[in-house]
Amino acid sequence: MIAILSRRPGLAALLLGAAAATGFAPFNLWPVALTALALWLMLVCAAPSVRAALWRGWLFGWAHLTLANMWIAQAFTYQDAMPHWLGAPAVALLCMYLAIYPMMAAGLAWRWGRRHGVAGAPDLRFVLIAGAAWIVTEWLRGWALTGYPWPPLATIWVPVLGVAWSAAWVGTYALSGLTVMVAGALAMALTGKWRPAAVVATVVAALALSGVDIPVTAPTTDPAAPRLRVVQPNLDQEQRPRPDYAETNLRALLANSGTPGLAPRLILWPEGALRYLIEDGYPPQYYAAGDPLVTRRRIAAVLGPRDIVLTGGNAVMFKPDGTIAAVTNSIFAIDAKGVILSRYDKAHLVPWGEYLPWRPLLSMIGISRLVPGAFDFAPGPGPRTLPLPGFGSAGMLVCYEVIFSGEVVDRAHRPAFLFNPSNDSWYARFGPEQHLAMARLRAIEEGLPIIRATPTGISAIVDANGRITAQVDWGKTGAAEAPLPAAHPPTWFAVGGNWIALGLALLLAVLGVAIGRRAR
């Protein structure tokens, strides 16, 4: 097998990277992904030099991440200031950078995991070092240059919750490294190294089986217990330029918000749901689209006395001369009296989407951000927990803030659940599917329910075990309603965060080096 792969190593690395991408949603072909990873590890281990190993790692990562992120290309069709044809090439260019991280993992595995001067199949030392290197480099990808970990390798396990549950102990990045080790065990088995393959498989299986200890709370049957209603109006970005979009969208949201009942309801609307400004105190000229008090009263009219709406919208801050100083991507909590109870401002903004990096330079050469608008968004202060009378406290995560493992909760004020309004209508269907998978991993890691509200799907209520209890599928109009799921006690990962993942990487690296010295 190694000889066959080594005949055309570059082409083999590209094809294996593409095959590994089928492990992500919506395909969820995790056996294919594991097999591709196993063959890639064999290819890296057989490289004649560290330069060749790095090249094979980069080619694998480029194909793997380009296909997984190609849903981004559709966003270019909504921005006339950018050439629409640029979508696919832009994703490929982005992934030329992202592929550096798998490249580094391959180089580290070859340099520290391979027996020097011996070109052979992966052994236990190589597999341990490869797992450690993947943990560290994937964590770096989620942190460097504001971070972009989409999609972490661990998300291939979301359909197999018995394995995904181990993220509650070690986190997503560590689970990605363990996935590489599973692939390494398969590579060893394919080359006749059954004993070390069995060791790795046993350790990873023990972690996976640890998921059975995570408590499962049955949903309440109390008709007066608080309920969630997630509204999906199914109005996509193509309708935004229309002058009646703001009104059409508000009417769709109100129409699908249901009617008050015995139980208090927390009604959840998507990111950017309100196109009207709803805060008081702005200069009058900014209220041309509608009186904020009138808008809030319209919302309050569909609420019962104990109901609350959480909705995406925008807040504006002004300079002393009345001109705009900053705009925020926000979540507002509005009660049955039309009062704004609290506001959260998105902190982790999307480069090129919510702000244009190096704006003075790039704007001079005609480059714009993908989301049309005259102003860049200003970041908020970071994870926040907002009190919601009758529903406990809620952590807030706007859109892709949910993809950053270990960065989604205010540790000093642990919430009862997380709310993640998003606008995935910019993207091809693969994007929303993968976004939901990553949100489910955050629920498992933190032991907290997550509620996602999007304009066109997929909107869902996810319990603290990562299970979907109610959803509105992609491209559908309607609402998902269910009782508020209970939170679990803080998980190991909720306490230790990514220090656990980095500690596991260190442990694997030390074991790998020790095994190598013993073999010598």
Side-chain angles (χ1 to χ4, degrees):
M1 180 63 72
I2 295 175
I4 295 173
L5 293 172
S6 297
R7 289 175 187 173
R8 299 290 298 274
L11 178 61
L14 285 171
L15 293 177
L16 292 172
T22 65
F24 299 122
F27 301 111
N28 297 319
L29 300 177
W30 59 267
V32 175
L34 286 179
T35 304
L37 278 166
L39 296 176
W40 173 67
L41 289 171
M42 295 165 64
L43 189 66
V44 170
C45 190
S49 66
V50 69
R51 178 177 294 182
L54 289 167
W55 180 236
R56 295 173 188 190
W58 187 88
L59 289 171
F60 175 91
W62 181 76
H64 176 68
L65 294 168
T66 297
L67 290 184
N69 284 278
M70 193 51 69
W71 50 269
I72 299 173
Q74 182 171 304
F76 282 76
T77 65
Y78 298 112
Q79 171 56 295
D80 290 334
M82 297 282 281
H84 294 183
W85 58 264
L86 189 58
V91 175
L93 286 170
L94 168 66
C95 293
M96 291 176 69
Y97 156 69
L98 296 178
I100 290 173
Y101 298 96
M103 179 187 77
M104 290 192 295
L108 289 168
W110 190 94
R111 174 64 181 83
W112 297 104
R114 181 177 175 272
R115 287 183 292 167
H116 297 297
V118 179
D123 57 11
L124 184 56
R125 173 187 179 182
F126 183 87
V127 170
L128 290 170
I129 297 295
W134 194 281
I135 292 171
V136 173
T137 55
E138 192 171 89
W139 169 77
L140 280 173
R141 181 158 66 93
W143 172 79
L145 300 178
T146 78
Y148 185 72
W150 189 310
L153 186 58
T155 52
I156 71 171
W157 296 117
V158 169
V160 190
L161 282 179
V163 179
W165 274 336
S166 60
W169 307 102
V170 296
T172 290
Y173 302 133
L175 181 54
S176 292
L178 293 174
T179 303
V180 170
M181 290 178 59
V182 171
L186 177 59
M188 289 189 288
L190 289 173
T191 54
K193 297 182 175 70
W194 292 100
R195 183 177 296 176
V199 171
V200 173
T202 300
V203 171
V204 175
L207 257 178
L209 291 174
S210 69
V212 301
D213 293 330
I214 296 179
V216 178
T217 304
T220 181
T221 57
D222 182 358
R227 296 186 66 81
L228 305 173
R229 185 176 179 88
V230 186
V231 178
Q232 184 169 296
N234 198 31
L235 296 176
D236 65 21
Q237 291 301 318
E238 292 180 357
Q239 301 187 44
R240 278 202 173 202
R242 290 172 39 179
D244 64 343
Y245 177 85
E247 181 61 25
T248 300
N249 195 55
L250 179 57
R251 288 181 180 178
L253 291 165
L254 295 172
N256 286 283
S257 292
T259 56
L262 176 63
R265 301 177 305 152
L266 184 61
I267 300 172
L268 305 115
W269 292 354
E271 176 189 12
L274 291 178
R275 309 310 300 169
Y276 295 117
L277 297 174
I278 62 168
E279 290 186 308
D280 298 321
Y282 294 177
Q285 64 268 28
Y286 294 99
Y287 292 132
D291 186 322
L293 180 58
V294 171
T295 301
R296 297 199 307 269
R297 284 176 175 172
R298 291 177 65 186
I299 295 170
V302 302
L303 304 181
R306 295 181 294 165
D307 294 349
I308 293 175
V309 165
L310 286 178
T311 179
N314 297 125
V316 184
M317 290 161 277
F318 297 90
K319 300 175 183 177
D321 63 1
T323 58
I324 294 177
V327 178
T328 61
N329 188 354
S330 302
I331 302 172
F332 297 92
I334 304 171
D335 70 8
K337 298 178 181 178
V339 174
I340 298 175
L341 300 175
S342 53
R343 188 186 93 198
Y344 167 78
D345 298 331
K346 184 178 182 181
H348 205 144
L349 301 176
V350 183
W352 307 96
E354 292 169 311
Y355 70 94
L356 182 65
W358 314 296
R359 174 171 283 279
L361 174 63
L362 295 183
S363 60
M364 287 177 60
I365 59 177
I367 295 179
S368 300
R369 61 189 179 98
L370 294 180
V371 181
F375 297 94
D376 287 344
F377 287 100
R384 289 292 182 271
T385 300
L386 304 183
L388 299 174
F391 301 93
S393 57
M396 301 292 166
L397 304 163
V398 177
C399 196
Y400 101 143
E401 286 185 311
V402 79
I403 75 173
F404 294 95
S405 174
E407 301 178 31
V408 300
V409 171
D410 179 356
R411 302 293 175 192
H413 304 91
R414 179 175 166 84
F417 65 93
L418 298 169
F419 175 45
N420 178 222
S422 184
N423 186 354
D424 294 348
S425 65
W426 296 96
Y427 307 116
R429 183 166 184 173
F430 289 14
E433 296 262 11
Q434 293 175 16
H435 208 168
L436 177 59
M438 284 181 275
R440 293 175 69 184
L441 272 182
R442 295 297 85 74
I444 293 168
E445 284 180 336
E446 302 291 346
L448 294 173
I450 289 183
I451 299 93
R452 279 182 49 79
T454 70
T456 57
I458 304 167
S459 299
I461 299 170
V462 179
D463 71 12
N465 296 314
R467 295 188 181 94
I468 297 173
T469 62
Q471 75 174 62
V472 185
D473 203 359
W474 185 81
K476 303 293 184 181
T477 303
E481 188 165 335
L484 174 62
H488 293 324
T491 63
W492 282 21
F493 182 81
V495 175
N498 282 319
W499 289 111
I500 294 177
L502 296 175
L504 180 60
L506 178 61
L507 175 62
L508 294 175
V510 169
L511 286 174
V513 171
I515 288 172
R517 288 181 175 176
R518 182 178 179 182
R520 288 201 297 272

